[in-house]
Amino acid sequence: MRKTDPNAPAFARATDNPNLIGLTKREYFAARALQGLLAAGVEESLAMRRAVRVANEFVAELNKASETQVKEAVKASAVKFEETSEVSDEMPWMN
């Protein structure tokens, strides 16, 4: 399984110019975490430090996942989807 490179572009672009890669994955993860922390009312300077820590931890967790864990998660998701995709009497608009 490929590891998540925190310095890889978050949104791949076909260019040979390294100045045009945009945000790295780590920067993107940090920005999203920062958005949530600020929305939750966390003080700005504390939110920035926490967002960077969350991004680093997120990359580390992604890199811990083994191929087996990924396959098990996909299988569990499929089973869960099948269990919840049946139309019930409580949702007549789905018929």
Side-chain angles (χ1 to χ4, degrees):
M1 182 175 171
R2 278 184 10 175
K3 300 283 184 177
T4 297
D5 178 1
N7 297 314
F11 306 100
R13 294 169 65 174
T15 180
D16 292 329
N17 186 341
N19 296 319
L20 297 178
I21 66 164
L23 292 174
T24 65
K25 289 181 180 183
R26 181 176 175 265
E27 291 168 334
Y28 179 71
F29 297 153
R32 297 305 303 253
L34 179 62
Q35 181 181 20
L37 290 164
L38 292 174
V42 176
E43 190 267 323
E44 189 175 320
S45 63
L46 178 61
M48 287 186 283
R49 290 191 304 273
R50 285 186 180 172
V52 170
R53 187 173 66 233
V54 165
N56 290 336
E57 291 174 4
F58 186 61
V59 169
E61 283 299 314
L62 287 173
N63 287 333
K64 277 188 202 176
S66 71
E67 194 167 326
T68 303
Q69 289 171 319
V70 171
K71 287 178 182 177
E72 289 173 2
V74 169
K75 185 177 178 181
S77 296
V79 169
K80 187 174 183 180
F81 176 76
E82 288 174 6
E83 291 172 354
T84 60
S85 63
E86 292 183 23
V87 178
S88 72
D89 293 335
E90 297 172 12
M91 297 182 281
W93 62 88
M94 297 292 287
N95 290 330

